[in-house]
Amino acid sequence: MPFLIIAAVIAVQIGADVKPVLVFPLYLAIVLLAALYQGRIDSYAAAMIAAFGILAPFIARGDTSADAAATLLLAAVLVVVVAVVHEVVARIRHDATAAERKAIEVEASEERLRITVEAAPVGLALIAPGGAWLQVNERLCVILGRSRDELLHMALVDVTAEHDQTAIDEALAMLRTGGILRWEAEIHQLRGDGSRVPVEITIASVSDHPSGELVMLVQETDISARKRLDGLRDGLVAVRHTILSAATWEQAAPQLLSALCAHLDWDVAQYWAVDTDLQALRLRQGWHRDGTALEEFHNQSRRLSIASGDGLLGRVWQSGVPAAQEDLSAATDYDRAAAAKQAGLRSAVAFPVMNSGTVTGVIEMLTDEAKLIENDLVTMLSTAGGEIGQFIRRAETAQALRRSETDHRAIFERSPIGIARISSEGEMLEANPALLQMLEHDFPTMRSHAWPDLLRAYDQAAARSRLEPLLAGITDGKSVQVRAGTGGGNWLWLQLTATSIPDSSGRPEHVLVMVEDVTVVREAQDKLGEALESQRSANITLEKLDRTKTEFLSIVSHEFRTALTGIQGFSELIRDGGLEADEVRAYGGYIFNDADRVNRLIGDMLDLDRMESGRMSIRTTDVDINEVLSDAIARAGSSPTVDFKADLDPRLPIVAGDRDRLVQVVSNLVNNAVKYSPDGGTVTLSSRSEGGFALISVTDTGVGIPPDEIGHVFERFRRVRSGAAQSIPGTGLGLTIVKQIVEMHGGKIWVESAVGHGSAFHFTLPLAAENLTLLQRRHA
Amino acid sequence: MPEASADGNAAITVLVADDNDVAQRLCKRVLEKAGYTVLIAADGLQAVEVALGKRPAMILMDVAMPGIDGIEAMKRIKAEIPNQPIVIASAHSMASDRERFLAAGADDILSKPFRLSDLVAIVAKLTAKPGV
């Protein structure tokens, strides 16, 4: 284009022969333009052509005039101008291009950043120091469930769960002041639909933003999947922890149900137990977050009985596998649909509590979120259900054991029967209060003294009854009664029943001994026994008495008839007459003697009867027994064959007694001594004081009493008739009467004898203290 | 008449065994008056001895005697002389006693106390010679 203009100008100049000075401005303008707008070569070419155009007329004319020189100068000016202008332009152009390129590069870089940010797998955003969202990436929009526009009108704190808002405010404040450059946390963000999402958030201050203002870069990662897995794991851990630390299901249930809700993010958890009587599921325990609507749901549940196969719970019971209702409003057979709706509950999951393959209960959890029930949750709940079932069984067994233990303890402590626990070695391990009270011992004394005594007494009594010793244990209800002294000095009859308690291997581990105080029963038995015994002996006595009476009658009638034989016979002789006078006198003597004998017999019998029946009283006076003995010797002194000797203690105190009766005793014994000394001999009467008694002896050197008769001399009609004594008369009642009289005075009588050597009858009479003094005074 | 019978009985010996001397005297007096020869024994052993030695026509035997009693003495005598007439003369006179004595072999029983005529009659009956 410049070349054409320059060519046109040359043509015109040549044609019109215009002076170069005149066309020079034209050329200048053209080359300037070329230099401005054309490339280097074009610009220089245009300048050269323009220079030629100016010089052309001069070259053509060969003119070397001054004009020509001026014109050459003009041409040079053209070229120089072009060169200068071109260089200036070129520089300008170069600068402009560099600037432009740089601008393009910046623009491309920003685009790349934007794409990178958008495509990042984490949520990224810029926020103002106050927290307002400046820029957000798509991922963040997804995490927060909100559109970009929506977000850009909000602040970070607006999408943060309430309980995390303070933390965010504080973090931003610190970042603003430069106290920290970076803040990291796990918080919950609120999604557009109102649900909460757990995120890992990092906020860092960014100082070199082109705007020059302080901005903050926010990075968020959705950790709900990790959180859910953590929740499942922590939930199971919490279940196990609760199970381990609790003793009973009742104790564990609230904690366990609330832990499940907390870790798995549910609002309600209920334990439904299988009621085997009703054949239905009944709500046993429940937990729910605060709220009256949930409270009402719980109350509704409480009234329900769910049959196998009915609704969500019934199905779980029937099948034994977990089941879920992700949308309760769509469920047709959910039993508490209305109440659930009222409480805002939207999803439910239920899992069986299993024990040895049997469903013993169902745990149901509900939430107000529309929850997607994942497989791993189902797996976790199945595991938990199994472990809970085992725990419930263990807890119930343990509780039954504890209850049994408590019962036994109560029985042991409060039983009115004494109970002792004895080791297999016989050591007392424990004694209940009743036993200690019964035996009036404290436990140490009981263990160290009373129990070993009791054990010995038991074994002795058992041996007598042909029973095993105590440590062998007696389990078939056999008891042994022993006599035992108490700490208080009483004597009791105790009934002991021993029972072996085997250990798990069946060996006797210890022995339980029941101790009953049967003193009252036993004494009653003994009294009854005594009564029966005395009844029996009374019967025997009666029989004996009857026999004795018959025997007595027989003996008495014999004695009387014997005496009457003489009386009757000789009376008849006298009556029939024809007797000599001396015959009559002799026979009259016989008759008199026998009649006298009969009379004495009757008198003795009556005396004896009065004494034996207790109707005879003794008239007590002071009796000097030595005087009685001396009188007896004086009276009997006439005996031709027997010598009398007295060996009397002069200091013998007087006795209190019936003088006439004592005279009767002494004369009877003296008469006997004389009678049974038919060949003469010595009869000795002695007296002395011995231990508060006067001891009187009548000793003869006569025929003596045979050993087989000595035991009977004091019995009635037991006259010694054998041998040399056979013809000695007597009523046969004398010694019986003597014995009665002595005993009525509180004394005793006995006899020593040897056949052929004589007999010694001894009797005692008690001395009276006042008489002792009296006598001493008299002798003083 | 008593005299006559006394003479007629003089050869007849009667043993009176009794420990009671009054009874001995009475029996002796009455039976001698009746013409018998009377032997006396004061206890059982003596009675056996006299009976076996003297062979009395009959024995009047008391029961309650020292040593062996009348029953035992009677048994011993009857063992030697089975047809020896023995009358038990006892003050044991209950019905049971009578049976006991008869069972033991007594030929008759005379209860004490007795009428003298009964004594004489029973001695006469048991000493009566056959055919008289």
Side-chain angles (χ1 to χ4, degrees):
Chain A
M1 180 70 155
F3 302 112
L4 291 177
I5 298 168
I6 292 170
V9 170
I10 291 173
V12 169
Q13 181 197 332
I14 303 257
D17 192 24
V18 179
K19 287 188 77 153
V21 178
L22 293 175
V23 290
F24 175 71
L26 269 174
Y27 283 118
L28 187 62
I30 292 166
V31 294
L32 276 175
L33 283 171
L36 278 173
Y37 296 102
Q38 298 300 307
R40 180 194 294 254
I41 295 161
D42 286 355
S43 305
Y44 281 100
M48 294 306 276
I49 294 168
F52 175 75
I54 288 176
L55 290 175
F58 293 96
I59 296 164
R61 283 177 268 160
D63 188 352
T64 57
S65 67
D67 290 340
T71 307
L72 187 60
L73 186 67
L74 286 174
V77 167
L78 270 178
V79 172
V80 169
V81 166
V82 165
V84 169
V85 168
H86 179 77
E87 282 311 307
V88 168
V89 168
R91 171 129 328 208
I92 289 169
R93 267 193 196 144
H94 179 261
D95 287 354
T97 310
E100 192 179 338
R101 196 175 295 130
K102 193 169 183 185
I104 290 166
E105 275 173 12
V106 165
E107 200 174 318
S109 149
E110 282 193 349
E111 181 59 18
R112 278 200 303 277
L113 179 65
R114 197 185 61 78
I115 290 166
T116 307
V117 166
E118 286 300 335
V122 296
L124 285 174
L126 286 176
I127 55 170
W133 298 104
L134 299 174
Q135 278 184 37
V136 292
N137 72 349
E138 188 55 33
R139 178 66 192 152
L140 189 64
C141 294
V142 171
I143 290 173
L144 296 179
R146 297 168 194 269
S147 73
R148 193 185 307 262
D149 285 347
E150 196 184 341
L151 277 176
L152 291 179
H153 287 93
M154 299 175 88
L156 171 58
V157 77
D158 297 331
V159 297
T160 298
E162 203 175 337
H163 59 270
D164 288 329
Q165 288 179 354
T166 317
I168 291 291
D169 285 341
E170 286 171 3
L172 290 180
M174 282 190 289
L175 287 164
R176 274 198 299 272
T177 58
I180 55 168
L181 297 176
R182 184 185 169 84
W183 183 79
E184 286 183 10
E186 284 184 8
I187 59 168
H188 280 94
Q189 299 285 70
L190 287 173
R191 288 169 57 85
D193 61 3
S195 65
R196 301 185 314 154
V197 58
V199 298
E200 195 175 76
I201 187 169
T202 306
I203 308 175
S205 51
V206 181
S207 52
D208 61 344
H209 192 261
S211 67
E213 254 189 84
L214 181 73
V215 293
M216 295 176 197
L217 177 66
V218 175
Q219 179 182 328
E220 290 192 9
T221 314
D222 182 350
I223 55 168
S224 54
R226 198 189 86 205
K227 275 284 178 192
R228 213 171 50 80
L229 289 174
D230 284 354
L232 291 177
R233 191 196 61 214
D234 293 349
L236 203 54
V237 166
V239 165
R240 286 173 182 157
H241 178 77
T242 308
I243 282 171
L244 279 177
S245 59
T248 66
W249 168 246
E250 281 70 24
Q251 197 182 332
Q255 204 183 337
L256 192 139
L257 295 176
S258 77
L260 279 176
C261 286
H263 289 288
L264 304 177
D265 200 22
W266 294 78
D267 297 321
V268 177
Q270 296 181 335
Y271 172 66
W272 297 72
V274 172
D275 187 321
T276 45
D277 293 336
L278 294 175
Q279 277 300 309
L281 283 172
R282 298 276 302 178
L283 178 61
R284 187 75 72 76
Q285 277 95 17
W287 181 90
H288 57 77
R289 286 193 212 280
D290 290 344
T292 50
L294 294 177
E295 187 84 51
E296 182 52 31
F297 179 77
H298 180 79
N299 290 338
Q300 288 255 341
S301 303
R302 201 176 269 293
R303 288 193 276 273
L304 229 54
S305 282
I306 296 171
S308 179
D310 279 8
L312 178 66
L313 295 176
R315 284 201 305 276
V316 170
W317 178 19
Q318 193 176 45
S319 65
V321 295
Q325 199 74 62
E326 291 179 357
D327 184 2
L328 284 176
S329 61
T332 52
D333 66 345
Y334 189 72
D335 36 61
R336 284 148 296 161
K341 190 176 178 189
Q342 192 87 35
L345 296 170
R346 293 167 66 186
S347 302
V349 65
F351 62 99
V353 172
M354 306 283 289
N355 179 10
S356 327
T358 311
V359 177
T360 58
V362 176
I363 291 178
E364 181 188 35
M365 298 198 296
L366 300 105
T367 178
D368 57 5
E369 288 177 49
K371 253 204 174 144
L372 203 67
I373 310 298
E374 318 255 358
N375 279 338
D376 48 9
L377 174 67
V378 171
T379 307
M380 177 266 173
L381 292 178
S382 291
T383 307
E387 293 186 7
I388 291 169
Q390 285 172 13
F391 165 71
I392 291 177
R393 189 179 59 164
R394 271 202 314 276
E396 281 173 354
T397 310
Q399 200 172 6
L401 206 64
R402 266 197 304 282
R403 199 176 298 127
S404 157
E405 165 68 20
T406 311
D407 286 356
H408 284 135
R409 186 43 49 184
I411 290 169
F412 185 81
E413 290 295 334
R414 301 197 200 125
S415 164
I417 294 175
I419 304 173
R421 210 155 58 78
I422 308 302
S423 78
S424 53
E425 282 79 38
E427 199 92 346
M428 172 172 265
L429 303 172
E430 226 179 338
N432 75 340
L435 183 59
L436 297 179
Q437 201 182 346
M438 190 186 297
L439 288 173
E440 300 180 84
H441 283 302
D442 56 10
F443 181 66
T445 325
M446 184 75 208
R447 186 180 47 191
S448 59
H449 293 94
W451 169 247
D453 290 349
L454 213 53
L455 182 63
R456 257 193 305 283
Y458 181 100
D459 285 349
Q460 284 166 6
R464 282 197 295 277
S465 316
R466 293 161 194 277
L467 291 176
E468 302 266 334
L470 185 135
L471 293 181
I474 295 170
T475 47
D476 57 356
K478 288 216 175 71
S479 299
V480 159
Q481 291 192 351
V482 302
R483 195 101 170 107
T486 70
N490 298 314
W491 283 92
L492 300 176
W493 274 106
L494 300 181
Q495 174 160 305
L496 276 65
T497 310
T499 307
S500 286
I501 307 296
D503 63 12
S504 49
S505 69
R507 284 181 304 116
E509 197 245 334
H510 64 268
V511 179
L512 271 189
V513 184
M514 315 282 165
V515 184
E516 277 175 275
D517 179 359
V518 293
T519 310
V520 174
V521 177
R522 180 70 183 234
E523 280 175 355
Q525 272 175 0
D526 286 356
K527 281 208 182 90
L528 192 64
E530 277 168 25
L532 286 173
E533 182 54 42
S534 76
Q535 179 78 46
R536 194 159 48 236
S537 77
N539 285 344
I540 290 168
T541 310
L542 275 178
E543 282 168 25
K544 197 170 152 191
L545 208 63
D546 194 49
R547 256 199 326 273
T548 309
K549 195 179 129 203
T550 309
E551 208 177 321
F552 179 76
L553 271 177
S554 167
I555 292 169
V556 167
S557 62
H558 180 265
E559 294 294 318
F560 275 59
R561 282 185 171 131
T562 302
L564 284 173
T565 304
I567 294 170
Q568 190 177 320
F570 285 111
S571 309
E572 208 181 334
L573 278 175
I574 292 170
R575 187 198 66 188
D576 290 348
L579 299 174
E580 300 296 322
D582 54 343
E583 274 184 319
V584 173
R585 226 176 4 258
Y587 297 165
Y590 299 149
I591 293 170
F592 176 82
N593 284 343
D594 271 352
D596 182 53
R597 192 172 120 78
V598 169
N599 189 36
R600 275 189 290 122
L601 201 54
I602 291 170
D604 283 356
M605 281 171 56
L606 291 176
D607 274 0
L608 203 55
D609 182 56
R610 290 219 306 278
M611 285 182 223
E612 285 181 343
S613 64
R615 279 179 288 119
M616 173 183 276
S617 57
I618 51 171
R619 289 183 302 277
T620 309
T621 55
D622 288 349
V623 179
D624 186 343
I625 206 75
N626 284 346
E627 189 191 325
V628 171
L629 293 173
S630 303
D631 286 356
I633 291 170
R635 260 188 288 114
S638 57
S639 168
T641 55
V642 175
D643 293 330
F644 284 95
K645 236 171 80 184
D647 176 16
L648 307 180
D649 180 359
R651 295 190 59 79
L652 182 72
I654 54 170
V655 299
D658 187 323
R659 188 187 158 86
D660 290 346
R661 293 290 166 194
L662 292 177
V663 166
Q664 186 183 352
V665 167
V666 172
S667 65
N668 203 306
L669 291 175
V670 169
N671 286 342
N672 269 351
V674 173
K675 270 197 300 189
Y676 288 93
S677 303
D679 304 325
T682 309
V683 172
T684 309
L685 278 69
S686 67
S687 71
R688 66 176 190 273
S689 170
E690 198 172 274
F693 285 88
L695 174 64
I696 299 105
S697 305
V698 178
T699 312
D700 65 54
T701 54
V703 296
I705 305 164
D708 59 331
E709 292 188 40
I710 199 162
H712 302 291
V713 293
F714 296 106
E715 291 178 15
R716 285 177 271 202
F717 304 113
R718 281 287 190 158
R719 274 183 298 164
V720 175
R721 308 176 64 159
S722 54
Q726 58 183 290
S727 56
I728 294 160
T731 62
L733 293 174
L735 283 178
T736 311
I737 291 170
V738 162
K739 184 168 190 274
Q740 283 286 336
I741 294 171
V742 170
E743 287 178 355
M744 281 170 73
H745 279 80
K748 277 182 181 165
I749 186 164
W750 67 100
V751 62
E752 299 165 322
S753 185
V755 174
H757 291 89
S759 307
F761 282 85
H762 309 282
F763 69 96
T764 60
L765 295 169
L767 299 171
E770 63 269 29
N771 291 338
L772 189 85
T773 359
L774 200 72
L775 191 75
Q776 282 166 342
R777 204 180 301 137
R778 197 171 58 187
H779 280 272
Chain B
M1 199 176 68
E3 292 299 322
S5 61
D7 294 335
N9 290 336
I12 301 172
T13 308
V14 173
L15 171 60
V16 173
D18 201 312
D19 65 330
N20 185 297
D21 68 332
V22 175
Q24 288 169 11
R25 281 176 219 269
L26 180 66
C27 292
K28 188 177 167 69
R29 169 71 179 79
V30 170
L31 291 178
E32 280 179 349
K33 196 85 175 172
Y36 296 98
T37 302
V38 176
L39 301 173
I40 297 291
D43 61 39
L45 281 173
Q46 211 178 338
V48 174
E49 190 186 323
V50 174
L52 296 184
K54 304 282 171 92
R55 298 292 178 110
M58 66 87 69
I59 304 169
L60 203 62
M61 183 80 83
D62 184 21
V63 172
M65 289 186 294
I68 62 168
D69 68 7
I71 304 296
E72 178 61 28
M74 176 173 71
K75 282 180 182 168
R76 291 189 189 181
I77 294 163
K78 289 261 186 186
E80 296 294 323
I81 317 158
N83 58 353
Q84 170 69 58
I86 300 177
V87 170
I88 294 290
S90 173
H92 296 291
S93 52
M94 292 181 171
S96 59
D97 294 328
R98 294 180 61 86
E99 283 164 28
R100 182 160 63 96
F101 302 153
L102 290 173
D107 293 273
D108 211 337
I109 290 160
L110 178 68
S111 292
K112 291 177 180 174
F114 44 80
R115 292 187 171 275
L116 300 182
S117 53
D118 289 343
L119 171 65
V120 174
I122 204 164
V123 171
K125 185 179 104 186
L126 283 168
T127 55
K129 291 185 178 86
V132 175

